[in-house]
């Protein structure tokens, strides 16, 4: 319906239902529903933690971030210090709004009003990392100017407006009228005036990543709560619809997003929240989740889930993702073949997110079955984004999986990783993707980003060609030469020549053959063919492992249950440990296997085998 909806249909639907009763977020509007989840044993730990957090917030009120913390991003590139302190300021909003829904304690109501007031007092709802986002040279040329840039709307500001609008809607009869007035005033000033009163596009309206979904859907949801005039609301929602259409164009025909399952959930969940509110507001006349493309997009993360909570995590994605059972269960109303994730992949409700926690609890089924016993083969060629995923489950708890990617090197949250692959065995991404780096200013500046091992091609399982790494930009791309899924194997061949700005390189192809006969342990073969216009000075093959490689014979490296073999007459092997920092300040480790060609030639053919020799217990 999204692509075929007209402005007249939208306007008529809103006007026809303007005076009809239309409870918004109907589940949360019901005291009986709140009583049910409060008494649900599945959420007892959540409510206990919420009350403990409330006591701590009352005893130690959060203080707003300092100006010096706000400007840290411009000074050093650090965004974590400000954001953590700001998050503490918002803890009261989420905590006391939840608690006040289940019990009308005076102190909780007072703290909720204080929290709302504090949020409304912020200088800007936009994160320092996103200030001036519309500048072409962002993030340069912003923090050294005499006056701050004009206001914009970022992810956090939009979500903040949605959250405040919904909380005020549900608590309106409990809150001081000045609080309600202040929220409406601030949402109008910071969001509606900025977005709807200016024809200048927001930076994210031009993108196809998670941003347009989160921002436009959140703005649209806030408008549904705040705007009574149906004609005015129709115009506002219409701009949102245009952005969402652009967002959907970022998925290929098979439903894949190059951002992976974590950002799938972030972007798509907010679209679903908005779509269901619009459906309620129009009494079912506008149901965006009935769009034909919803099914393939909804199934994408199911294909990315492996075992042991691991996922296919190309680009800036963590290798473990938790999914909202509420979101998945709501999507099952429109996509019956969608399955609830197994326990390892289920998200717990978070006290720090009103929007996500309420949908998780209210939309989840009373009895949540497990899909741990799934057996057989699940696989898909995503030809638009040039991904392939194949998962083989042969008995309970045993899974082998292979995934590889092409595409181009200016994808959302891009890594220079064309021809990169993951090999998963029993809960471990043995041949792995290092994943997301710590978000600093430098991490999003190409001149620094691709020198970092997370995003640069030297941190991925791809060749280094005559000293050249892969380049950044849309022109650095791959082409699918051949892709086929047959009874016993998956074949995926990429031409990655254009991924390298290498004057001596004429052609480079990478062939993956994933052999997975029924009732046999799968095996992976990779064959690279390189042609040069002169003898290259060097040629290196790089493989990233999450486990320490152990030499197990000439030309053989044992990686837990996987044995990698190569021709020792052609290659010298070197292994180095890579220690990575994370947001939690802990360090995690990967291993970079570099095979140096002993005698580079103008034409070379290289073959590497990955034999799964045993299963981990």
């Amino acid at each position: 319906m999204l692509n075929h909806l007209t402005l007249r249909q939208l306007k008529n639907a809103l006007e026809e239902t303007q005076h009809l009763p239309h409870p918004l977020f109907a589940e949360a509007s019901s005291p009986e529903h709140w009583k049910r989840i409060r008494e649900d044993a599945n959420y007892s730990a959540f409510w206990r933690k919420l009350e403990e957090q409330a006591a701590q917030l009352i005893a130690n009120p959060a203080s707003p971030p300092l100006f010096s913390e706000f400007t840290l991003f411009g000074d050093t590139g650090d965004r974590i210090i400000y954001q953590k302190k700001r998050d503490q300021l918002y803890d009261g909003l989420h905590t006391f709004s939840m608690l006040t829904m289940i019990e009308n304690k005076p102190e909780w109501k007072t703290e909720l009003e204080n929290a709302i007031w504090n949020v409304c007092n912020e200088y800007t709802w936009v994160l320092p990392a996103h200030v001036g986002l519309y500048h072409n040279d962002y993030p340069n040329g912003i923090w050294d100017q005499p006056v701050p840039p004009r206001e914009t709307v970022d992810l956090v500001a939009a979500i903040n407006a949605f959250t405040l609008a919904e909380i005020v809607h549900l608590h309106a009869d409990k809150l001081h009228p000045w609080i309600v007035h202040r929220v409406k005033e601030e949402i109008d000033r910071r969001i509606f005036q900025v977005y709807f009163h200016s024809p200048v596009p927001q930076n994210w309206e031009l993108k196809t990543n998670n941003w347009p979904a989160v921002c436009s859907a959140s703005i649209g949801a806030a408008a549904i709560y705040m705007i009574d005039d149906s004609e005015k609301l129709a115009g506002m929602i219409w701009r949102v619809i245009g952005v969402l259409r652009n967002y959907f164009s970022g998925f290929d025909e098979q439903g894949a997003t190059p951002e992976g399952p974590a950002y799938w959930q972030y972007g798509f969940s907010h679209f679903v929240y908005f779509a269901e509110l619009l459906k309620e507001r129009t009494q079912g006349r506008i149901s965006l989740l009935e769009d034909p493309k919803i099914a393939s997009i909804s199934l994408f993360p199911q294909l990315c889930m492996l075992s042991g909570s691991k996922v296919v995590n190309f680009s800036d994605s963590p290798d473990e993702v938790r999914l909202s059972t509420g979101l998945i269960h709501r999507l099952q109303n429109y996509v019956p073949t969608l399955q609830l994730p197994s326990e390892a992949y289920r998200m717990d409700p978070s006290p720090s997110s009103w929007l996500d926690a309420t949908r998780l609890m209210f939309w989840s089924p009373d009895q949540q079955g497990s899909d741990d016993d799934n057996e057989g083969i699940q696989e898909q060629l995503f030809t638009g984004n040039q991904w392939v995923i194949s998962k083989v489950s042969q008995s309970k708890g045993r899974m082998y999986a292979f995934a590889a990617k092409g595409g181009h090197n200016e994808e959302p949250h891009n890594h220079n990783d064309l021809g990169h692959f993951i090999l998963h065995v029993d809960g471990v991404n043995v041949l792995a993707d290092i994943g997301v780096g710590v978000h600093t200013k430098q991490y999003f500046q190409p001149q620094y980003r691709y020198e970092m091992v997370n995003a640069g091609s030297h941190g991925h399982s791809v060749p280094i060609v005559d000293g050249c790494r892969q380049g950044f930009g849309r022109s650095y791309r791959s082409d699918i030469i051949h892709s086929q899924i047959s009874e016993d194997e998956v074949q995926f061949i990429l031409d990655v020549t254009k991924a390298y700005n290498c004057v001596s390189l004429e052609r480079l192809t990478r062939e993956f053959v994933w052999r997975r006969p029924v009732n046999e342990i799968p095996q992976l073969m990779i064959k690279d063919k390189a042609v040069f216009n002169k003898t290259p000075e060097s040629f290196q093959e790089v493989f990233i492992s999450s486990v320490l490689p152990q030499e197990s014979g000439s030309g053989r490296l044992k990686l837990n249950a996987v044995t990698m073999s190569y021709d020792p007459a052609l290659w010298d092997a070197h292994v180095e440990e890579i220690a990575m920092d994370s947001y939690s300040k802990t360090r995690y480790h990967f291993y970079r296997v570099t095979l140096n060609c002993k005698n580079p030639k103008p034409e070379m053919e290289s073959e590497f085998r990955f034999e799964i020799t045993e299963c981990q217990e």
Side-chain angles (χ1 to χ4, degrees):
M1 184 172 192
L2 183 67
N3 285 326
H4 300 290
L5 180 68
T6 67
L7 176 57
R8 182 175 295 279
Q9 288 173 325
L10 175 63
K11 179 175 177 290
N12 288 345
L14 290 169
E15 290 180 339
E16 289 166 3
T17 55
Q18 181 170 358
H19 300 295
L20 297 178
H22 44 74
L24 300 174
F25 195 8
E27 297 90 345
S29 300
S30 167
E32 290 75 20
H33 288 175
W34 280 99
K35 184 175 184 293
R36 175 183 64 81
I37 63 169
R38 181 65 180 90
E39 296 174 353
D40 190 329
N42 291 318
Y43 305 122
S44 58
F46 169 79
W47 292 108
R48 183 171 59 253
K49 184 175 180 180
L50 209 64
E51 293 198 30
E52 291 172 355
Q53 185 163 291
Q56 292 172 0
L57 289 169
I58 292 172
N60 302 286
S63 58
L66 301 172
F67 175 72
S68 56
E69 293 165 334
F70 180 81
T71 56
L72 267 180
F73 180 79
D75 296 336
T76 69
D78 183 282
R79 60 190 288 177
I80 304 303
I81 292 174
Y82 174 88
Q83 289 179 199
K84 281 188 173 180
K85 194 164 182 179
R86 182 185 183 276
D87 288 345
Q88 293 171 0
L89 194 68
Y90 276 68
D91 285 342
L93 178 66
H94 304 290
T95 299
F96 294 110
S97 61
M98 289 275 190
L99 292 175
T100 305
M101 290 301 298
I102 62 168
E103 188 174 349
N104 196 19
K105 284 188 177 182
E107 62 269 31
W108 288 350
K109 170 184 173 293
T110 298
E111 292 301 325
L112 174 58
E113 290 176 336
N114 287 338
I116 294 173
W117 196 256
N118 284 338
V119 169
C120 290
N121 284 340
E122 279 194 291
Y123 172 68
T124 179
W125 288 347
V126 176
L127 292 181
H130 303 149
V131 166
L133 188 62
Y134 53 84
H135 280 280
N136 289 331
D137 56 352
Y138 171 86
N140 299 314
I142 294 170
W143 293 90
D144 56 354
Q145 300 301 306
V147 294
R150 65 173 172 83
E151 188 71 278
T152 185
V153 180
D154 74 339
L155 296 164
V156 176
I159 291 173
N160 196 33
F162 183 1
T163 303
L164 284 170
E166 186 162 273
I167 288 172
V168 165
H169 174 80
L170 293 172
H171 288 288
D173 59 337
K174 302 174 186 175
L175 297 172
H176 193 292
W178 288 11
I179 289 289
V180 176
H181 176 80
R182 179 82 191 276
V183 166
K184 293 180 178 180
E185 187 178 61
E186 294 298 335
I187 291 176
D188 182 70
R189 180 173 70 87
R190 299 171 187 263
I191 307 298
F192 296 162
Q193 294 286 340
V194 172
Y195 184 57
F196 293 114
H197 289 222
S198 172
V200 178
Q202 295 284 312
N203 170 280
W204 43 264
E205 291 186 273
L206 310 177
K207 299 182 181 296
T208 59
N209 61 5
N210 66 92
W211 273 73
V214 175
C215 293
S216 65
S218 295
I219 293 171
I224 289 172
Y225 278 120
M226 291 290 172
I227 304 301
D228 294 325
D229 184 326
S230 292
E231 188 170 31
K232 180 178 180 181
L233 180 60
M236 297 167 83
I237 297 299
W238 188 244
R239 180 165 177 177
V240 167
I241 294 295
V243 177
L244 290 173
R245 286 172 174 165
N246 194 48
Y247 162 68
F248 270 76
S249 72
F251 294 88
D252 64 17
E253 288 303 312
Q254 295 79 33
T257 167
E259 291 190 291
Y263 283 107
W264 170 92
Q265 176 159 258
Y266 188 43
F268 198 59
S269 65
H270 285 84
F271 164 72
V272 173
Y273 300 165
F274 163 73
E276 290 296 82
L277 280 175
L278 183 60
K279 183 178 180 179
E280 288 179 310
R281 173 60 181 80
T282 60
Q283 300 281 289
R285 288 166 172 78
I286 306 294
S287 181
L288 300 181
L289 290 174
E290 294 178 10
D291 189 275
K293 203 171 183 179
I294 292 296
S296 60
I297 294 173
S298 299
L299 290 166
F300 172 66
Q302 189 167 292
L303 284 159
C304 291
M305 287 185 284
L306 303 175
S307 64
S309 76
K310 296 295 184 182
V311 296
V312 175
N313 68 313
F314 297 134
S315 304
D316 266 350
S317 180
D319 65 354
E320 295 186 0
V321 173
R322 302 290 189 273
L323 298 174
S324 168
T325 52
L327 173 65
I328 301 300
H329 188 63
R330 180 51 57 102
L331 287 170
Q332 286 178 324
N333 294 340
Y334 304 90
V335 187
T337 57
L338 190 60
Q339 298 173 339
L340 286 174
S342 62
E343 192 65 37
Y345 292 95
R346 291 180 182 174
M347 175 192 294
D348 292 323
S350 170
S352 61
S353 176
W354 163 274
L355 297 177
D356 294 334
T358 51
R359 271 73 180 177
L360 189 156
M361 293 188 291
F362 284 121
W363 289 356
S364 290
D366 292 334
Q367 300 295 324
Q368 297 183 16
S370 173
D371 294 311
D372 288 326
D373 296 334
N374 288 337
E375 294 185 20
I377 296 174
Q378 288 183 291
E379 52 197 6
Q380 179 70 58
L381 286 163
F382 299 96
T383 54
N385 283 312
Q386 298 186 13
W387 283 29
V388 61
I389 299 174
S390 176
K391 305 188 295 186
V392 181
S393 301
Q394 293 182 336
S395 61
K396 184 173 181 178
R398 300 294 191 189
M399 176 181 281
Y400 317 99
F402 156 71
K405 77 175 296 292
H408 64 81
N409 279 341
E410 199 176 2
E411 296 167 344
H413 284 273
N414 179 70
H415 289 187
N416 289 345
D417 59 356
L418 307 182
H420 179 51
F421 71 100
I422 291 170
L423 182 59
H424 175 92
V425 181
D426 283 344
V428 179
N429 288 356
V430 180
L431 277 298
D433 192 298
I434 293 175
V436 61
V438 176
H439 286 187
T440 62
K441 178 168 66 173
Q442 292 81 8
Y443 190 66
F444 290 98
Q445 294 177 284
Q447 65 268 37
Y448 302 111
R449 179 181 179 91
Y450 298 107
E451 295 302 311
M452 301 179 189
V453 71
N454 300 79
S457 68
H458 57 300
H460 295 81
S461 297
V462 299
I464 298 175
V465 181
D466 203 7
C468 297
R469 302 176 190 169
Q470 292 187 10
F472 165 69
R474 186 172 287 269
S475 62
Y476 294 94
R477 61 182 177 84
S478 63
D479 295 298
I480 297 177
I481 298 175
H482 178 73
S483 59
Q484 181 178 352
I485 295 177
S486 63
E487 183 178 354
D488 291 332
E489 69 180 29
V490 175
Q491 189 178 27
F492 190 56
I493 308 176
L494 294 171
D495 184 337
V496 293
T497 311
K498 294 184 177 68
Y500 299 86
N501 184 18
C502 179
V503 294
S504 61
L505 179 66
E506 290 193 352
R507 184 171 172 83
L508 176 61
T509 62
R510 167 160 282 194
E511 177 183 6
F512 297 96
V513 178
W514 171 244
R515 296 195 175 96
R516 38 130 189 81
V518 177
N519 297 324
E520 294 184 25
I521 297 177
Q523 312 295 335
L524 176 65
M525 185 273 291
I526 297 177
K527 184 181 292 184
D528 289 343
K529 295 180 181 180
V531 178
F532 297 88
N533 55 36
K534 63 177 182 178
T535 302
E537 294 184 10
S538 64
F539 191 86
Q540 298 171 303
E541 294 278 4
V542 176
F543 300 95
I544 302 297
S545 172
S546 67
V547 300
L548 177 64
Q550 304 279 352
E551 190 171 352
S552 61
S554 180
R556 294 173 67 82
L557 291 174
K558 188 171 177 59
L559 312 166
N560 281 13
V562 177
T563 297
M564 171 183 166
S565 61
Y566 60 92
D567 188 342
L570 301 178
W571 304 94
D572 279 326
H574 174 71
V575 177
E576 63 177 311
E577 183 177 0
I578 303 171
M580 303 301 303
D581 291 322
S582 69
Y583 284 103
S584 62
K585 302 299 182 184
T586 57
R587 307 206 89 189
Y588 56 102
H589 301 268
F590 288 86
Y591 302 89
R592 186 172 185 263
V593 179
T594 304
L595 301 181
N596 295 287
C597 185
K598 293 180 179 180
N599 185 25
K601 297 179 180 179
E603 293 191 21
M604 294 187 292
E605 186 171 305
S606 314
E607 185 172 303
F608 310 95
R609 294 185 178 273
F610 299 86
E611 180 184 5
I612 303 173
T613 55
E614 60 185 58
C615 291
Q616 295 175 304
E617 296 296 335

